[in-house]
Amino acid sequence: MKSKLGIIMCVTVLLTAVCDAGPSTLSVTTIKQEPYTMPKGTELEGYCMDLLSELSKKLSFKYNVHLVKDGNYGRQDERGNWNGMIGEVLRGEADLAVAPLTLTATREKVVEMSKPFMQTGISFIIHKDMGSNDPDLFNFLCPFSTETWVGILVAYLVTGVCIYIVSRLSPCEWSEPQTEENSFSLMHSLWYTAGAIALQGAGPHPKALSGRVIVAIWWFFVVVLLASYFANLSSAQQSDKPQVSLATFEDLANQDMVEYGTLSVSSTLTFFKNSNNLLYRRIYENMERKKSFVSSFDEGTRRAQKGNYAFIGESVSLDLAASRYCNLDRSREVIGMRGYSIVGPIGSSIMKNVSVAILQLSEAGELDYLRNKWWSSSCMQEGSAASSGHPHRLKGAFVVLGLGLGLGVMLALLELISSSRKSAKEQKKNCCSVLSAELSQRLGTSGAQKTQETTDKSKP
Ligand code: GLU
């Protein structure tokens, strides 16, 4: 067996030597995993593809990429044979493996591994309902998303200001700007609008049609808003939360309600298998007993999203899943620090240069740039966000409110125009000049000054 392996290695070294003699096209194996390598049409894209292209520029080589045939990273079986990408490099089917391949002692013995291009550790993702259930002080805000709360605040302020403006413009509301004070000051308008949120009438109601239109539309908006708030709040509270809170590996090991597992062929599994730590051994034995492994990273993420399953894997990859799917939480505990390396056959001269290039890319900040490029993402799943209302769910109510406010202001202007026309006729003046005088009196400071003067004069 050993001699066979020796022959394979010699052939690989010879081939590599031949390849190293001049500019060559390297055959690169990789594995499909977000965001490292993902299909895009007929091409592949992702962090590893960008890294490979940077390396090829630095080391001046051409390459052909293929996905590993058996879909595995690389594990040695009982007979000493390697599968996955490590196996392909060992058998000479690939010159390089560029993927999230963990640097381990057993692999380092049979292949050449570069300096790590990314650091990670082991952690787990779990459905948010089962993660650390820290009681949230501001749970009452959860029915709406931040955008919706901001939208409501803006709607409230705009409506308050509209009621204020309309009450000043409308002659039916404020008939004598010279002598009487407007009952709808800005403070009163805002207070009145706030009162409606609690279904309370705060102070005098508007008398003019324009003001009443705005108020009626605001009441309608508030009713829709409250109905949606209470529906979301009660559905969030009724979500059948299991009575477990799993924040650490110890929590996982000490319970039997939630299954947990790793990828069936992975360095994470090997870590638990070979660990001397009693806790980690218990975790491994439980996984073996229940055969709770998954065959791919996607399957692990899917099972975790369904609930009742904790997917144990490498934190850097789990971070992406947790940021993509808002209903997933990544445990804060990270164990077994390790790194991802590029793999080549033993004796390959290019590997030394690959390590140097990786260090150069790291020192130049290129690796950080790639990390930010491929890890920046926002939640894609509506699952948990469903309970915190998205602005578009209330979009209709916001639109109706906007139209109502516009209509109210328009009606107020019409009321003012018709009353200006009437008084222009009576005073035999130009309608426009009467209107502009009215406008400056009602919206400008002159109205207030006159009111003040009148009040002063009437004082004994
Ligand atoms: N990166 C791992 C490996 O090289 C696979 C993922 C895992 O262990 O969780 O085997």
Side-chain angles (χ1 to χ4, degrees), residues 321-341:
S323 69
R324 286 268 162 93
Y325 305 105
C326 315
N327 53 358
L328 292 179
D329 249 349
R330 179 172 75 71
S331 160
R332 264 174 256 158
E333 190 179 7
V334 179
I335 56 173
M337 293 310 289
R338 67 256 313 278
Y340 292 150
S341 292

Side-chain angles (χ1 to χ4, degrees), residues 50 124 203 240 291 304 379 383 399 427 433-434 440 454:
D50 284 358
F124 63 88
D240 44 342
K291 291 276 171 257
C379 295
V399 170
Q427 296 165 24
S433 62
V434 175
S440 65
T454 323

